[in-house]
């Protein structure tokens, strides 16, 4: 017990000491050299092969194969994927994360978040905005055209500005966002605005083409979820130094691929503990119902892993309404419930409406299993067919079975006989 | 089919609020699809795809609110538009929920209430010890309401807790009153200078209520669990409670209530009492009065314990029963007692034994001689005993547990008197007297006499005097205490002469 307590204190200590800074945007193959060779596609969630992938994941893979020039069209790409022409790996195995389908391939621009305390880096693609987008399985010409614009225009402009200004520190930016009603998963309005405000002078100084700069500013200004991907890379950069601490029962990653939900725990190394993913409950855009929805998907649960998203619901009463009958005034109850499974509180990320309660930090698998309280996750909902995109948003629970499996393995690791 | 659009220029509402409104509208009769969205290009595309955007909404921009309704007919669509406008013009204006977060684990409860120093544990017996351990490791005293805890676990837990300086009340501890707060089954009694340490829940309730009725008050009532004074447990909790009360300035007199303890344990307790600077009443129900130190007196019933305690606190009590006996139906000389409180059943047995009437009981007091003819002898039954409560609530919670036995007794042609207890207070049924009165309706006038007592106070949620009034209207003779009820029953049997 004492060894676990010490290890967890160390684990959460590393989380709180982290100093994430957005420093650059580079082509994925520069950040992740392994992507340069072969036809590698990184996806969200724990490992999965083509025949078990859900519709939106397959749609995104077909789209990204066309985008990378590996296939002439979507049908050919689909056929190639089925024949094993592409290599699939989880983002998490390459220091990356991606929202929903989480496609990361060689030529896509990725944002680089450096954890300056531990000198590690994490990567995430640039958020595509709302509507028909690849992260929800969209793959038509409009989707691919936007990806090309991100690669050719947005990425390089952001890169120049970030290098010129020396990076944007993210810890305090997120703290301000929490006090402005963001929880950094479903709601990123404040942080997206704050980031744009911080970047604007450097963008102005480094952009030669006013027309292109205006395009970028208009894109960022029109995308309330722009910061989601920054927050996700932040989460990955914070959690990676927590991996592999002997005797620690703290969760280092939660992630889903639309078929499986997986978690990793510090004391059990890089093993994924996997269970079938659950269906989100939420509100739908007009024309869609829960029968259209795909099961839960994406690496974005990394934000819950660091105490944001569903854990910080109390900061964002407006999103609490996504939970069936939940009232905005109940938002704080979600955060308080998550304190039951969190090792501690984050003294810098506080929620004014909860009398400055710090967000619950460090999910302890022992507490999850003991209390029977699974992490609450705020999420977008994708259509189950490829190519349609986002149809709603809601709340989902991490499957309890992942935590039970992890606890058994953890007990084995500790030399305790589990039942 | 009819599509209706309406645009509110420069009217902003949050998208989540709008999605909730949209769902309300879509659920209206005759509405096929409905949406309320800000008119951004992305939203307009969604509405177009859903067939909700017509020419009327063409000029809408990002800052304008678009209402789109596709209805079965124009009337349905217009009704939904009207409802939408009402939602916009008259927002709810009140908090939708008063749900307060409640912690689900001891850890979270302590975090939210760091000053708390006591945990009340009421979970299935197999988990009670594990939860109690979590509590004592956080420095909390525990009251364990749960039963079915193996005695070996009780011993280990109490020893561990004692090491940590924590008191374990229970397992199977039904009643405590700590700093004036009634826990589990307990009554609203005034605070005062008399403390109770008891291995019996209903014993504590009866004594605390009689002390309250006599004008005294309770400083602390500490339940220790029914097995604390056995040889196995060795009185660990009782001794800790006595130590704590010795230090408590607000306590002058201490009542100790238990079934007869193991001999060695009784010795320890008597020794401990002898070292105390306070005065004591020792009520070991069913035990012979042993030698006690000068600062202690022995009480053989709960009523006697309350009288002695009140005297020590300087209150004089008129201990004679106030109720007038009535003659029981002639030719019927059997008494059947149906109790919800185990210790109340034991107390009645003592009164009967004193009167020379041996009884049959499922919980016989030690050393009592069995009756010569058990078939026709008096029966005093504890309906809270395991054999009656397996898979059912305790009769104090569900008075229906007594119904079948009561009906049998009322039909029995040799039974002259049915003796009952009614226990009220926190945790107990909201109206046990009312339930009893309904069971007695048919029997009134031609069956056995009904004699009862009500354990409780005027401050209890059920209000003692109201419960007494309900019973008296149902023809029940109500005595001021359980012991008085037993004595009254005996008096009625001997022809109504006191």
């Amino acid at each position: 017990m004492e060894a676990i307590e010490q290890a967890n204190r160390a684990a959460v200590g590393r989380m709180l000491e982290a100093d994430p800074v957005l420093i650059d945007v580079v082509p994925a193959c520069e950040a992740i050299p392994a992507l340069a060779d072969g036809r590698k596609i990184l996806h969200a969630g724990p490992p999965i092969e083509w025949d078990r992938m859900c519709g939106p994941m397959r749609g995104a893979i077909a789209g990204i194969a066309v985008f990378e020039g590996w296939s002439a069209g979507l049908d050919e790409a689909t056929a190639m994927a089925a024949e094993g022409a592409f290599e699939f790996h989880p983002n998490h195995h390459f220091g990356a994360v991606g929202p929903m389908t989480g496609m990361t391939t060689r030529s896509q621009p990725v944002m680089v978040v450096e954890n300056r305390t531990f000198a590690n880096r994490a990567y995430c693609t640039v958020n595509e905005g709302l509507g028909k987008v690849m992260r929800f399985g969209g793959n038509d010409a409009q989707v691919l055209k936007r990806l090309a614009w991100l690669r050719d225009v947005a990425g390089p402009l952001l890169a120049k500005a970030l290098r010129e200004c020396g990076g944007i520190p993210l810890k305090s930016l997120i703290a301000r966002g929490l006090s402005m009603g963001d929880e950094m998963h479903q709601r990123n309005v404040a942080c997206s605005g704050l980031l744009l405000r911080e970047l604007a002078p450097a963008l102005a100084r480094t952009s030669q083409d006013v027309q292109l700069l205006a395009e970028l500013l208009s894109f960022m200004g029109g995308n309330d979820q722009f910061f989601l991907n920054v927050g996700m890379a932040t989460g990955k950069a914070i959690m990676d130094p927590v991996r592999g601490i002997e005797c620690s029962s703290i969760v280092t990653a939660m992630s889903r691929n639309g078929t499986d939900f997986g978690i990793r725990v510090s004391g059990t190394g890089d093993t994924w503990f996997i269970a079938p993913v659950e269906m989100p409950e939420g509100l739908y855009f007009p024309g869609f119902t829960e029968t259209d929805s795909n099961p839960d998907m994406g690496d974005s649960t990394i934000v819950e892993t660091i105490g944001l998203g569903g854990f910080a619901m109390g900061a964002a009463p407006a999103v609490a309404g996504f939970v069936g009958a939940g009232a905005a005034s109940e938002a704080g109850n979600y955060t308080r419930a998550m304190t039951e499974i969190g090792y501690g509180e984050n003294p810098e990320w506080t929620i004014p409406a909860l009398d400055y309660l710090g967000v619950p930090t460090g999910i302890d698998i022992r507490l999850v299993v003991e209390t029977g309280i699974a992490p609450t996750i705020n999420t977008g909902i994708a259509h189950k067919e490829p190519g349609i995109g986002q149809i709603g948003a809601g709340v989902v629970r991490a499957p309890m079975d992942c935590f039970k499996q992890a606890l058994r393995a953890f007990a084995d690791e500790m030399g305790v006989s589990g039942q | 089919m009819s599509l209706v659009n309406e645009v509110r220029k420069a009217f902003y509402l949050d998208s989540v609020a709008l999605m909730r409104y949209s769902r309300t509208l879509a659920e209206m009769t005759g509405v096929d699809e409905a949406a309320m969205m800000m008119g951004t290009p992305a939203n307009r595309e969604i509405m177009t795809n859903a067939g909700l955007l017509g020419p009327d909404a063409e000029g809408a921009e990002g800052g304008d609110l678009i209402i789109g309704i596709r209805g079965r007919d124009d009337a349905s669509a217009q009704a939904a538009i009207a409802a939408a406008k009402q939602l916009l013009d008259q927002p709810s204006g009140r908090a939708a929920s008063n749900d307060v977060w409640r912690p689900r684990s001891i850890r979270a409860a302590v975090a939210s209430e760091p000053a708390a120093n006591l945990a009340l544990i009421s979970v299935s017996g197999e988990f009670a010890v594990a939860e109690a351990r979590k509590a004592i490791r956080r420095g909390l005293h525990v009251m364990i309401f749960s039963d079915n805890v193996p005695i070996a676990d009780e011993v280990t837990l109490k020893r561990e807790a004692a090491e940590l300086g924590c008191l374990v009340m229970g397992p199977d501890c039904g009643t405590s009153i700590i700093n004036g707060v009634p826990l589990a089954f307990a009554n609203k009694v005034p605070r005062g200078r008399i403390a109770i340490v008891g291995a019996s829940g209903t014993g504590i309730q009866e004594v605390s209520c009689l002390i309250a009725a006599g004008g005294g008050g309770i400083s602390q009532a500490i339940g220790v669990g029914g097995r604390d004074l056995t040889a196995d447990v060795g009185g660990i909790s009782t001794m800790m409670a006595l130590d704590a009360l010795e230090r408590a300035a607000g306590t002058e007199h201490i009542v100790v209530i238990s079934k007869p303890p193991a001999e060695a344990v009784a010795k320890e307790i008597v020794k401990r009492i002898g070292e105390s600077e306070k005065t004591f009443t020792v009520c070991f129900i069913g035990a012979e009065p042993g030698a006690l130190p000068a600062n202690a007196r022995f009480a053989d019933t709960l009523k006697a314990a309350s009288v002695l305690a009140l005297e020590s606190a300087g209150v004089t009590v008129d201990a004679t029963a106030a109720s007038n006996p009535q003659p029981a139906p002639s030719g019927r000389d059997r008494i059947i007692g149906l109790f919800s409180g185990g210790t109340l059943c034991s107390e009645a047995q003592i009164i009967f034994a004193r009167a020379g009437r041996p009884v049959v009981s499922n919980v016989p007091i030690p050393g009592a001689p069995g009756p010569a003819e058990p078939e026709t002898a008096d029966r005093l039954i504890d309906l809270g005993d395991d054999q009656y409560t397996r898979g059912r609530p305790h009769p104090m919670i569900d008075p229906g547990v007594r119904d079948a036995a009561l009906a049998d007794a009322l039909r029995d042609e040799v039974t002259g008197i049915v003796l009952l207890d009614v226990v009220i207070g926190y945790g107990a049924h909201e109206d046990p007297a009312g339930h009893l009165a309904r069971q007695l309706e048919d029997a009134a006038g031609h069956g056995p006499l009904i004699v009862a007592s009500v354990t409780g106070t005027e401050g209890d949620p059920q209000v003692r005097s109201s419960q007494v009034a309900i019973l008296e209207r149902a023809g029940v003779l109500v005595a001021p205490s359980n012991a008085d009820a037993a004595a009254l029953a005996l008096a009625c049997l001997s022809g109504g002469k006191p």
Side-chain angles (χ1 to χ4, degrees):
Chain A
M1 287 288 274
E2 192 45 44
I4 299 174
E5 173 59 26
Q6 264 180 31
N8 286 348
R9 197 180 310 135
V12 174
R14 286 188 199 180
M15 291 174 71
L16 298 179
E17 286 161 31
D19 179 17
V21 181
L22 177 61
I23 57 165
D24 206 349
V25 176
V26 298
C29 64
E30 266 179 44
I32 306 164
L35 292 183
D37 316 317
R39 295 161 177 163
K40 291 200 186 69
I41 298 175
L42 307 188
H43 58 80
I48 188 167
E49 286 310 319
W50 174 260
D51 32 312
R52 292 189 66 242
M53 284 180 187
C54 66
M57 185 73 89
R58 289 182 175 198
I61 280 168
I64 206 70
V66 173
F67 176 75
E68 290 294 353
W70 295 329
S71 314
L74 296 173
D75 290 343
E76 188 193 21
T78 305
M80 286 173 72
E83 284 158 16
F86 311 125
E87 255 184 74
F88 303 119
H89 298 282
N91 282 309
H92 267 286
H93 294 183
F94 291 89
V97 279
M100 301 305 287
T101 57
M103 296 293 105
T104 309
T105 50
R106 61 185 186 186
S107 64
Q108 284 178 285
V110 292
M111 300 184 289
V112 183
V113 171
E114 184 173 74
N115 182 345
R116 289 198 164 150
T117 312
F118 298 96
N120 63 295
R121 291 180 175 191
Y123 314 103
C124 188
T125 51
V126 180
N127 191 284
E128 306 159 81
L130 291 172
K132 211 174 269 189
V133 287
M134 178 159 286
R135 69 175 186 281
F136 286 100
N139 57 15
D140 65 12
Q142 179 197 340
V143 172
L144 301 188
K145 189 177 158 209
R146 190 186 303 107
L147 288 184
W149 178 82
L150 287 170
R151 178 190 61 202
D152 300 332
V153 178
L157 283 176
L158 288 166
K160 270 196 279 181
L162 284 166
R163 285 174 205 159
E164 193 259 2
C165 72
I168 309 284
L170 295 167
K171 195 159 67 163
S172 64
L173 193 138
I174 288 171
R176 279 180 282 161
L178 281 171
S179 68
M180 294 167 72
D182 279 359
E183 40 69 87
M184 264 60 72
H185 199 162
Q186 269 180 1
R187 197 170 188 95
N188 282 282
V189 186
C191 278
S192 298
L194 290 170
L195 180 66
L196 181 54
R197 197 176 74 165
E198 302 265 327
L199 263 180
L203 280 170
R205 285 194 297 270
T206 54
S207 303
Q208 274 93 40
D209 188 326
V210 175
Q211 191 54 45
L212 293 181
L213 174 62
E215 271 178 30
L216 175 65
L217 293 178
S218 145
F219 172 78
M220 289 177 71
N223 182 1
D224 288 349
Q225 284 291 72
F226 186 86
F227 191 80
L228 171 66
N229 296 35
V230 182
M232 288 174 58
T234 304
K236 181 69 174 159
I238 289 174
M239 291 318 299
D240 268 353
V242 183
R243 284 161 56 198
I245 299 176
E246 214 175 314
C247 302
S248 170
S249 55
I250 299 296
V251 174
T252 54
M254 298 194 289
S255 182
R256 45 304 186 232
N257 55 33
T259 303
D260 300 318
F261 194 112
I263 68 167
R264 282 168 148 183
V265 176
S266 182
T268 52
D270 287 339
T271 309
W272 288 101
F273 301 99
I274 289 168
V277 76
E278 300 190 0
M279 295 296 287
E281 264 181 61
L283 291 175
Y284 289 85
F285 296 153
F288 300 103
T289 67
E290 52 267 24
T291 55
D292 302 313
S293 69
N294 196 70
D296 191 26
M297 188 165 61
D299 289 328
S300 54
T301 28
I302 195 72
V303 305
E304 274 81 10
T305 316
I306 58 170
L308 301 174
F311 284 57
M313 192 96 88
V319 303
F322 274 126
V323 203
S329 53
E330 282 171 22
N333 292 353
Y334 284 88
T335 294
R336 290 195 197 278
M338 292 303 103
T339 64
E340 303 245 17
I341 57 172
Y343 175 88
E345 287 174 31
N346 187 322
E348 288 173 89
W349 287 351
T350 60
I351 299 177
L354 299 181
D355 298 324
Y356 294 94
L357 178 74
V359 297
T361 302
I363 302 168
D364 185 339
I365 55 169
R366 296 175 307 164
L367 297 176
V368 173
V369 173
E370 183 193 322
T371 60
I373 299 173
T376 297
I377 294 157
N378 293 350
T379 188
I381 302 173
H383 196 287
K384 64 187 173 190
E385 299 302 330
I388 296 174
Q390 182 172 10
I391 59 170
V395 165
V396 68
R397 292 275 179 175
M400 187 54 72
D401 198 44
C402 294
F403 297 88
K404 288 183 179 167
Q405 288 176 37
L407 189 60
R408 276 188 212 106
F410 180 72
D412 285 347
E413 195 91 5
M414 298 291 298
V416 183
S417 66
Q419 291 174 344
Chain B
M1 201 197 72
S2 169
L3 171 65
V4 182
N5 279 126
E6 184 144 330
V7 177
R8 286 220 173 175
K9 297 296 281 181
F11 188 104
Y12 176 80
L13 266 185
D14 179 85
S15 62
V16 179
L18 289 174
M19 284 173 87
R20 289 170 66 85
Y21 285 163
S22 303
R23 193 175 53 180
T24 306
L25 298 176
E27 282 164 1
M28 289 178 65
T29 324
V31 174
D32 294 330
E33 194 63 74
M36 292 170 76
M37 292 185 116
M38 299 305 297
T40 61
N43 287 346
R44 292 166 59 86
E45 191 185 322
I46 289 172
M47 289 186 78
T48 304
N49 291 342
L52 283 170
L53 207 64
D56 287 350
E58 231 154 50
E61 293 174 5
D64 305 332
L65 175 66
I66 308 174
I67 307 169
I69 309 285
R70 196 147 41 73
R72 204 184 300 140
D73 47 48
D74 193 56
S76 306
Q78 290 299 345
I81 289 279
K85 287 181 179 169
Q86 196 174 1
L87 288 169
L88 293 177
D89 295 336
Q90 294 164 14
S92 78
R94 61 180 170 80
S97 161
N98 296 313
D99 270 14
V100 179
W101 175 74
R102 300 249 181 256
R104 290 204 357 206
S105 60
I106 289 172
R107 174 179 175 271
V110 170
S112 69
E113 202 64 67
N117 70 348
L118 183 139
L120 170 57
I121 291 167
S122 177
V123 296
S124 172
E126 56 185 312
F127 305 115
V129 170
E131 291 302 315
R133 279 212 171 87
K134 288 175 200 162
I136 61 173
R137 283 179 187 150
R138 292 176 187 278
L140 302 175
H141 304 295
V142 291
M143 170 165 166
I144 306 175
F145 182 74
S146 323
D147 56 4
N148 291 319
V149 173
I151 192 157
D153 290 351
E154 175 174 349
V155 174
T156 320
L157 178 70
K158 284 186 168 174
R159 286 187 184 147
E160 278 176 35
E163 294 262 312
L164 297 165
C166 294
L167 177 66
V168 178
M169 299 184 273
D172 201 9
C173 175
T175 304
S176 286
I177 305 170
I178 304 298
N179 295 337
V181 180
L183 298 172
F185 293 107
N187 304 88
K188 184 79 184 159
V189 296
R191 300 212 65 189
R193 312 187 75 79
I194 301 169
I196 303 173
V197 178
S200 148
T202 42
I204 294 178
Q205 286 192 271
E206 175 78 353
V207 172
S208 63
C209 290
L210 293 178
I211 287 172
I218 301 299
S219 60
Q220 310 286 352
I222 302 173
V224 293
R227 298 182 305 212
D228 191 62
L229 301 171
T230 58
D232 288 337
V233 185
I236 297 174
S237 297
T238 302
M239 299 300 269
M240 283 184 78
L242 292 179
D243 286 346
L245 291 170
E246 190 67 31
R247 295 189 298 270
T251 296
E252 284 173 0
H253 184 82
I254 299 166
V255 182
V256 181
I257 306 170
S258 172
K259 290 180 289 223
E263 203 175 322
V265 180
K267 259 187 197 151
E268 278 294 304
I269 289 171
V270 168
K271 180 164 168 279
R272 179 71 191 73
I273 289 173
E275 293 159 3
S276 171
E277 294 180 354
K278 316 220 166 178
T279 57
F280 285 80
T281 297
V282 176
C283 178
F284 293 154
I285 293 271
E288 291 300 315
L292 288 176
N295 61 335
R297 291 195 285 172
F298 186 83
D300 61 351
T301 61
L302 300 168
K303 182 190 171 189
S306 68
V307 171
L308 294 181
L310 282 165
E311 281 177 10
S312 303
V315 184
T316 331
V317 191
D318 173 15
T320 53
S323 310
N324 292 321
Q326 291 178 17
S330 62
R332 300 172 165 212
D333 66 345
R334 177 200 244 178
I335 300 175
I336 291 189
L338 301 172
F339 292 87
S340 58
T343 307
L344 301 178
C345 182
S346 299
E347 185 183 40
Q349 290 178 56
I350 289 172
I351 308 280
F352 277 52
R354 220 196 261 161
R357 283 182 75 104
V359 302
V360 172
S361 177
N362 60 334
V363 287
I365 53 170
E373 289 171 30
E375 291 302 306
T376 53
D378 297 341
R379 289 173 181 274
L380 300 180
I381 305 300
D382 170 19
L383 293 165
D385 196 43
D386 288 348
Q387 67 189 103
Y388 298 102
T389 54
R390 201 160 292 135
R392 293 200 67 170
H394 192 278
M396 276 160 58
I397 301 171
D398 174 10
V401 172
R402 186 151 55 186
D403 291 353
L406 179 59
D408 286 348
L410 293 174
R411 273 195 301 270
D412 181 22
E413 289 181 352
V414 297
T415 297
I417 294 171
V418 176
L419 176 59
L420 302 168
D421 64 348
V422 173
V423 183
I424 60 170
Y426 297 103
H429 186 263
E430 59 183 10
D431 182 18
H435 179 88
L436 206 49
R438 284 191 291 281
Q439 306 305 309
L440 295 174
E441 263 167 23
D442 299 338
H446 48 83
L449 269 182
I450 314 291
V451 177
S453 66
V454 177
T455 300
T457 70
E458 290 304 290
D460 286 335
Q462 303 89 341
V463 185
R464 185 175 183 279
S465 57
S466 312
Q467 293 284 295
V468 170
I470 291 169
L471 292 176
E472 286 179 343
R473 273 202 300 279
V476 177
L477 289 183
V478 183
S481 72
N482 180 63
D484 291 332
L488 179 61
L490 292 168
C492 293
L493 208 56
S494 49
K497 291 180 285 292

